[in-house]
Amino acid sequence: MTNWEASKSIRDWRDCLGSELKREDYEWLKTECWKAKEQGDKANSSLIGHIKEEYNMLGITESLNEFILGTCYKHKDAVKLSCLTENRPLTISNLWCNFQKKYEFNPPHDHSGLYSFVIFISVPYDLKKEEEYFGQIGGGQEGYHDSLKIHTSKFAFLNTNHKGTIACDVLNVDKSFEGKMILFNAKQIHQVFPFYTSDDYRITVSGNIRLLV
């Protein structure tokens, strides 16, 4: 079982949905990321990421737009949209790509809008090697206290657990996530830990979704 498949069984309590892009949408988006990097329209001034290369992306295909917005209506909070007194369609308010390098990270933060999403374009590292990098910490085994788990390279949600303390719920992001998207409540606090074992870029596309006013 891949880490992506395993994550599906726990996505509900993460308030997160996972979906796979059409191959043609993924290939188009991967090309657009490199175009955005070449154009150099930096998005850093409006983002909290400790990532030097973050770029605005302009435009999106109709197919990909429909895929992303359609996923919103599958989210468990979508029932709230039925309470609107007038039609307010969803729209992607901003879109950017992250070219994350070794040691860079995204600290805990939330987003604007109703929903946010992350699409994984390229994951350069081997997850097992990442976990072995600090393998002396609790052995990375199930059952260890949250503070002893291996978080290196992982995407994480911060939630309050049954004891009333902060829990770091991680997604074991590896190469099986390439071409896949996670969508979650925009106010869900999340973060991205640094990776250590690759000199290549970890490329993701992120965006926020709001009601069209």
Side-chain angles (χ1 to χ4, degrees):
M1 179 181 293
T2 66
N3 287 311
W4 172 258
E5 291 169 337
S7 72
K8 293 180 180 179
S9 64
I10 54 177
R11 69 188 183 196
D12 291 337
W13 58 265
R14 294 178 191 273
D15 195 23
C16 166
L17 279 176
S19 302
E20 184 167 4
L21 275 66
K22 294 179 181 177
R23 187 69 189 183
E24 55 267 31
D25 287 336
Y26 167 63
E27 293 296 340
W28 177 86
L29 196 56
K30 181 163 57 173
T31 299
E32 290 302 303
C33 285
W34 287 100
K35 285 183 181 179
K37 177 176 167 59
E38 290 175 5
Q39 292 168 354
D41 182 13
K42 287 288 193 76
N44 299 69
S45 61
S46 60
L47 301 173
I48 197 174
H50 289 48
I51 299 173
K52 290 187 177 181
E53 295 190 70
E54 298 175 304
Y55 303 100
N56 291 308
M57 302 182 71
L58 300 177
I60 189 172
T61 64
E62 181 178 351
S63 173
L64 188 54
N65 185 67
E66 290 179 354
F67 169 79
I68 295 171
L69 298 184
T71 303
C72 295
Y73 292 101
K74 300 176 184 177
H75 193 276
K76 69 183 186 67
D77 286 346
V79 64
K80 297 177 182 178
L81 299 176
S82 63
C83 298
L84 296 175
T85 56
E86 57 182 297
N87 183 33
R88 296 287 186 184
L90 294 172
T91 185
I92 299 174
S93 59
N94 53 331
L95 189 70
W96 69 95
C97 56
N98 307 287
F99 281 76
Q100 180 186 356
K101 295 205 75 174
K102 180 191 292 186
Y103 311 136
E104 294 183 328
F105 65 97
N106 248 320
H109 65 287
D110 63 1
H111 288 191
S112 61
L114 291 177
Y115 302 106
S116 295
F117 61 88
V118 176
I119 299 173
F120 299 92
I121 303 298
S122 179
V123 179
Y125 49 79
D126 180 277
L127 183 60
K128 184 172 182 177
K129 291 181 179 178
E130 286 294 317
E131 292 178 332
E132 289 173 349
Y133 194 86
F134 291 106
Q136 71 276 15
I137 303 174
Q141 300 177 34
E142 290 294 326
Y144 275 85
H145 186 275
D146 184 70
S147 63
L148 294 179
K149 292 178 181 177
I150 302 298
H151 292 67
T152 308
S153 81
K154 297 174 183 177
F155 186 104
F157 293 109
L158 300 182
N159 295 303
T160 303
N161 62 21
H162 66 284
K163 296 180 180 178
T165 58
I166 299 298
C168 188
D169 299 324
V170 298
L171 283 177
N172 296 325
V173 176
D174 64 4
K175 293 181 183 298
S176 69
F177 275 66
E178 292 180 351
K180 300 180 174 71
M181 178 183 76
I182 57 172
L183 181 139
F184 47 93
N185 189 305
K187 297 308 174 187
Q188 168 71 59
I189 302 295
H190 58 287
Q191 68 183 106
V192 180
F193 288 90
F195 61 88
Y196 297 85
T197 64
S198 174
D199 293 322
D200 294 328
Y201 288 113
R202 177 184 185 269
I203 306 173
T204 57
V205 172
S206 297
N208 299 321
I209 298 166
R210 62 176 176 81
L211 291 174
L212 187 61
V213 178

